[in-house]
Structures are given as structure tokens and as C-alpha cells.
Amino acid sequence: MLNGKIIGRSLGILLIMEGICMLTVIPVSLYYADGDLSAVLISTAITLAAGLLLSQVFKSKNSTLGKREGYLIVTGSWLVFSLFGSLPFIIGGAIPSYTDAFFETISGFTTTGASILTDIESLPHGLLYWRSMTQWLGGMGIIVLSLAILPVLRIGSMQLFSAEVPGLKTDKLHPKIRETAKRLWAIY
């Protein structure tokens, strides 16, 4: 049986993390005053509110996470991160088409390197920073971040790791996976 509550809660927690990452754009927007501050603030508020709502609505005493849930969380995280991550571009008007903004964002989170922008440097500095942040987060992987955070919340991480790195034997990684994720993030 699929545990939908753990999927919803996990996606909510991941959205909260994305909202926190969006908060790092605010100092850049304030410093350069390119007119993108309100778009960043609104996007951050929407993302954090959605994350908090999901994590509260889908609270469950059963925190069993199987492989199916792990795969759905991985897939859902890429989609949800990209849906909400494209908000600063849309609200700020830098990329008027939602399809293009979604493509630009998912390209960053998946580190494909593709872009719809012909003059990237013309973006306001805050949005340019956010675009770079999506690529930075994608470079390490949203799930690796989850490996360090979700076990603290008593949500299983091995299923997420297996979904992100299929075919790898995880029996030797299990005791040290959280520590490995923390070290990778520190180095990165």
C-alpha cells in the first residue's frame, strides 16, 4: 500500500528547504536594487507557505518509506521544485512564458545546461543569482540534501538514495549515509 502522507510531508519539507534557499536571493536583490525584490519575496512566501501547508496537512504517525514512495518523492521533488522555482522568473517578468520559466528552472535543477535565454546577463542580479542557485542545488542533488535532513525528521533516507542512485548496493552505505551526505555538502 502506498503511503501518500509520507510523500506529501516529504515534498512539503523539501519545499520549505527550497524556500529557505530562495531567502538567500534577498540580499543580492537588495544590494543591486534591480527591481526584482518583490518578485523574490512573493515567490519565497508562496513556496514556504506551500511547504508548511503540505508538511502539516500530511502529518502521519506511520513514517514507513518504501521504494515506491522513494521513487515518487524523487520524481515529485524535481517537478515541485521546478514549479515553485520558476515563480521568481514569472512574477518578476524576466521570463514571461511559464513554460519557458519552468524549462529554465528544471534545466537548472537537473543540471542539463540547456537555456531558453539568449542574453543571460540581462536578468536582474537577484534572478541571475537564483538561476545559478538552481544549478548549484542541482549539481549536488536535491536528494543528497534530503539524506542529511529527512532522517532527523524520522523519514527513511535509504529509499530516496536508492531511487536517486539505482543499481548501487546500499547495504554498506546505510550506517554512514547521513554522514556521507553532510560531508559532500560541506565540500561542495
Side-chain angles (χ1 to χ4, degrees):
M1 187 89 185
L2 192 65
N3 187 347
K5 287 192 173 192
I6 196 73
I7 294 168
R9 182 165 184 254
S10 298
L11 291 176
I13 292 166
L14 289 169
L15 271 177
I16 292 169
M17 286 189 248
E18 182 180 23
I20 291 168
C21 290
M22 280 184 184
L23 287 173
T24 66
V25 179
I26 294 171
V28 176
S29 293
L30 284 170
Y31 181 79
Y32 287 101
D34 287 341
D36 59 350
L37 180 62
S38 63
V40 171
L41 290 173
I42 293 169
S43 302
T44 303
I46 291 170
T47 303
L48 286 171
L52 288 169
L53 181 68
L54 277 174
S55 65
Q56 294 303 309
V57 167
F58 290 106
K59 275 190 173 177
S60 173
K61 294 186 190 305
N62 179 9
S63 61
T64 304
L65 184 64
K67 284 188 178 184
R68 290 187 303 172
E69 287 88 356
Y71 285 119
L72 285 172
I73 291 169
V74 168
T75 303
S77 66
W78 293 122
L79 292 173
V80 169
F81 258 57
S82 298
L83 287 170
F84 284 86
S86 59
L87 290 177
F89 300 119
I90 292 295
I91 295 171
I95 304 175
S97 164
Y98 188 80
T99 304
D100 289 342
F102 181 80
F103 179 85
E104 192 68 33
T105 307
I106 203 164
S107 173
F109 284 129
T110 59
T111 63
T112 61
S115 180
I116 56 95
L117 300 170
T118 55
D119 186 16
I120 294 170
E121 289 81 18
S122 67
L123 286 177
H125 286 85
L127 297 182
L128 189 59
Y129 175 84
W130 175 242
R131 183 179 178 275
S132 299
M133 177 66 81
T134 64
Q135 295 168 358
W136 184 78
L137 289 169
M140 194 59 183
I142 296 169
I143 304 308
V144 175
L145 175 63
S146 302
L147 292 173
I149 304 296
L150 294 180
V152 173
L153 302 168
R154 294 194 327 248
I155 297 172
S157 60
M158 284 311 299
Q159 290 80 6
L160 293 176
F161 186 77
S162 296
E164 185 69 9
V165 188
L168 184 65
K169 297 267 186 202
T170 57
D171 52 338
K172 291 183 180 179
L173 291 172
H174 185 64
K176 298 180 183 177
I177 196 138
R178 194 166 128 205
E179 190 61 35
T180 301
K182 285 180 182 177
R183 286 183 183 180
L184 285 172
W185 266 98
I187 292 167
Y188 196 65

